Amino acid sequence: MLSLTTRFKIILSVLAVILVTGSFILYKSDTAPEGKNEILIRALMQGLSQGHYQPEKVDDNFSKKYLTYT
């Protein structure tokens, strides 16, 4: 037979798992306001296009700027 503390730990663990699982199931809500995803995507794309990688023209000036010949 299991001791009282072992049974208490088992029961407490089972209750914690049930509580955590239940809270995830109850908290899950797919009721995003209409247009929210579109606004987020538009803001993300605008930020990427303005502040992200700006390609340089690869020509002789580029080579002189970044390559040194020894």
Side-chain angles (χ1 to χ4, degrees):
M1 189 142 180
L2 298 173
S3 68
L4 184 60
T5 57
T6 305
R7 281 189 270 164
F8 181 70
K9 288 178 184 177
I10 292 171
I11 292 172
L12 197 60
S13 298
V14 169
L15 286 176
V17 168
I18 291 171
L19 181 66
V20 169
T21 305
S23 66
F24 277 114
I25 291 171
L26 292 176
Y27 184 73
K28 180 181 165 186
S29 68
D30 295 328
T31 58
E34 290 297 322
K36 180 180 179 182
N37 290 334
E38 289 81 11
I39 293 170
L40 289 173
I41 291 172
R42 190 178 322 123
L44 178 67
M45 294 304 294
Q46 183 179 8
L48 285 175
S49 66
Q50 289 179 358
H52 201 59
Y53 176 71
Q54 298 294 327
E56 291 188 37
K57 186 176 178 183
V58 179
D59 57 4
D60 288 336
N61 291 329
F62 177 84
S63 297
K64 289 177 186 173
K65 186 176 179 181
Y66 291 107
L67 300 175
T68 58
Y69 298 102
T70 56

